[in-house]
Amino acid sequence: MADYIIRDSYPVQTAAYESAGDASARIKRKLKQLGIDSAILRRIAVASYEAELNLIIHSHGGELIMEMTPKSIVLISKDVGPGIADISQALKEGYSTASEEARDLGFGAGMGLPNMKRNADSFDITSEVGVGTTIQMGFQIA
Amino acid sequence: MITIRDLIKILDAKVLCGEEKLDEEVRSACGSDLMSDVLAFVKDKSLLITGLTNVHVMRTAEMLDIHCIIFARGKIPPEDVLEEAKELGICVLATEHTTYVACGLLYGAGIPGTSKRTGA
């Protein structure tokens, strides 16, 4: 049996720039209603928004999943490709493969993955080219 | 204590929405057109000075609890962007100053930057 008390999944479409942030805003509003401390909530919101933007800018589509237990919140970003060939390079600040379109909107500075890692209490990324990328971020709330 | 109301005078700015927020304190500020960097550097009770006027500025502000946005270089955001700001309860100001000058004036008035990165 799963030990989480809430599990929500939010699909994120590729290139859906118009609605970028919708899933993260919904997650943030829900957690705010549940009384999560505002400083922790801001870290979760930033990590979630970065993950959502990555799904829109780089992936072939995927989902954001939020799991909450009495002690922690776990954010999972899962996509169906294209996968990251060199994860250590993708984790470097300033490294970006974002499109011109994404940059015009104010994104693609190469801060996404490092910023997720910095904001989360735990960070795990696995990726396989041609298969997809999964990122799991944990946040202690108690 | 510096409030949003004080910024109007310092920057010769006009209020586009969020009149009810004018007495809120401003603790730090960030000037950038790159929302990716804003996401990496902003702290609590911050204001953002930017020349980018799309809706992503408001979405980024929502994630970071930014309560005031100043559009520099005389830029006025489109109506839908202001509507989003109203919905989110974000105060929006506009100034004719460039981002560089606006930042300098605010820094000179005693508002510190967000030099340290957010997060753990």
Side-chain angles (χ1 to χ4, degrees):
Chain A
M1 274 295 288
D3 58 356
Y4 41 80
I5 47 176
I6 293 175
R7 186 179 196 276
D8 290 332
S9 168
Y10 305 84
V12 180
Q13 312 284 334
T14 179
Y17 294 103
E18 272 304 301
S19 56
D22 284 3
S24 300
R26 282 166 68 193
I27 290 172
K28 186 178 183 191
R29 285 168 203 165
K30 180 159 193 175
L31 292 176
K32 191 176 181 181
Q33 277 176 356
L34 291 165
I36 302 300
D37 169 78
S38 68
I40 297 172
L41 185 54
R42 197 163 46 246
R43 288 199 284 121
I44 295 170
V46 168
S48 160
Y49 192 38
E50 293 279 21
E52 185 178 353
L53 286 166
N54 270 2
L55 287 172
I56 292 166
I57 296 169
H58 300 288
S59 88
H60 295 153
E63 60 179 337
L64 268 183
I65 299 158
M66 190 272 288
E67 293 176 354
M68 185 177 173
T69 73
K71 287 188 173 173
S72 71
I73 287 165
V74 176
L75 282 178
I76 300 160
S77 165
K78 217 179 227 178
D79 68 45
V80 295
I84 303 168
D86 186 343
I87 290 177
S88 65
Q89 192 174 28
L91 279 165
K92 279 185 192 148
E93 290 190 356
Y95 177 80
S96 176
T97 56
S99 66
E100 206 55 43
E101 187 179 13
R103 287 171 201 258
D104 283 347
L105 293 171
F107 303 109
M111 299 297 280
L113 287 175
N115 205 22
M116 284 181 226
K117 195 175 176 182
R118 202 160 38 233
N119 277 285
D121 293 316
S122 68
F123 178 88
D124 184 58
I125 179 168
T126 54
S127 189
E128 195 179 330
V129 174
V131 179
T133 301
T134 301
I135 298 167
Q136 184 159 331
M137 297 172 277
F139 302 84
Q140 300 302 317
I141 54 170
Chain B
M1 179 176 100
I2 297 172
T3 64
I4 297 174
R5 195 181 296 280
D6 297 325
L7 309 180
I8 300 172
K9 215 178 278 176
I10 298 166
L11 296 173
D12 196 15
K14 58 184 171 191
V15 183
L16 300 184
C17 72
E19 298 265 357
E20 72 282 0
K21 299 262 170 180
L22 294 183
D23 292 314
E24 287 190 5
E25 183 183 7
V26 177
R27 293 200 194 130
S28 63
C30 172
S32 181
D33 288 354
L34 204 49
M35 294 304 110
S36 292
D37 280 347
V38 175
L39 282 166
F41 283 93
V42 164
K43 285 188 285 196
D44 194 17
K45 292 282 173 199
S46 264
L47 76 91
L48 171 65
I49 302 128
T50 187
L52 192 71
T53 55
N54 65 36
V55 75
H56 300 291
V57 176
M58 297 307 157
R59 306 238 171 94
T60 302
E62 181 187 7
M63 299 306 153
L64 292 161
D65 303 321
I66 287 174
H67 62 149
C68 177
I69 293 171
I70 300 169
F71 289 105
R73 321 197 269 273
K75 290 200 176 188
I76 304 289
E79 200 48 46
D80 62 316
V81 175
L82 282 178
E83 279 306 315
E84 185 90 10
K86 279 179 208 164
E87 240 169 72
L88 297 170
I90 296 168
C91 180
V92 179
L93 308 182
T95 177
E96 292 295 324
H97 290 297
T98 61
T99 304
Y100 176 75
V101 173
C103 291
L105 288 170
L106 295 180
Y107 193 84
I111 301 171
T114 54
S115 54
K116 283 208 176 149
R117 291 199 173 146
T118 46

